[in-house]
Amino acid sequence: MRVEYINPFVETSYRVLKEILGDSDVKRGDLYLKSTAMPVMGVTALVGLAGDVEGRVLFDMTLETALAVASKMNGETLPTFDDLAKATISELANIITAQAVTKLHELGFRFDLTPPALFAGQQMEIAALGGTSDTVEALIVPLITDCGKIEVNVAIRERA
């Protein structure tokens, strides 16, 4: 996976979260790679990428973190993870990926995005792209905020 693909997602995620969460401190945790199916924390927004590359970006967080982020973004305490909270987390994923892809377009890469899909529940797992002989590693970038940890999970490969 080329670093040119990853950096815009990491930088944009950090900047957008800092902007949207206002007074929240945002720190980047240690990056790590994951090549097998991995459990998700409870709420995951998934955006697919197609064009010069294929892949996906996940924004993974606990239900509590998602509710805290959605509450901050809406300027009110949301008591449950209802349709407004779900739409807010989907929009956060949309904002970050759209801005990252714009940066990539400026660098000459061509991507199209799928609309965000939101998954919420316990004991879910996201499998890596490809079959057993053609697995794509996912780079995980933990971002620690006052609302909780949000993991930006990027798996991209160039089209063959």
Side-chain angles (χ1 to χ4, degrees):
M1 194 167 10
R2 291 172 50 180
V3 72
E4 295 95 345
Y5 297 143
I6 305 304
N7 280 342
F9 291 100
V10 175
E11 292 166 6
T12 302
S13 297
Y14 177 86
R15 186 179 44 72
V16 168
L17 285 171
K18 198 140 182 72
E19 206 173 283
I20 285 175
L21 299 179
D23 58 355
S24 182
D25 194 21
V26 179
K27 292 185 176 86
R28 192 171 88 182
D30 293 332
L31 306 144
Y32 64 96
L33 288 172
K34 187 78 174 171
S35 60
T36 59
M38 58 184 296
V40 294
M41 292 187 272
V43 175
T44 302
L46 180 149
V47 178
L49 304 170
D52 292 346
V53 299
E54 59 187 5
R56 52 107 181 114
V57 180
L58 302 175
F59 300 92
D60 188 22
M61 62 201 85
T62 64
L63 179 62
E64 294 76 20
T65 297
L67 200 50
V69 169
S71 293
K72 266 223 168 169
M73 286 179 70
N74 284 289
E76 63 180 280
T77 301
L78 301 178
T80 61
F81 198 63
D82 59 10
D83 288 344
L84 176 58
K86 290 173 186 172
T88 301
I89 296 302
S90 292
E91 185 57 22
L92 174 64
N94 212 22
I95 291 167
I96 292 170
T97 51
Q99 289 184 22
V101 167
T102 298
K103 280 186 176 188
L104 287 162
H105 279 206
E106 291 168 0
L107 294 172
F109 299 107
R110 295 293 168 244
F111 293 83
D112 288 318
L113 301 174
T114 64
L118 192 72
F119 301 90
Q122 297 303 311
Q123 298 180 335
M124 292 186 303
E125 203 174 76
I126 301 290
L129 295 170
T132 54
S133 64
D134 193 23
T135 302
V136 173
E137 287 187 315
L139 179 69
I140 315 300
V141 184
L143 296 172
I144 293 78
T145 74
D146 293 346
C147 294
K149 178 172 71 170
I150 300 169
E151 290 189 344
V152 181
N153 175 322
V154 183
I156 298 175
R157 66 176 170 201
E158 291 186 39
R159 286 200 177 272

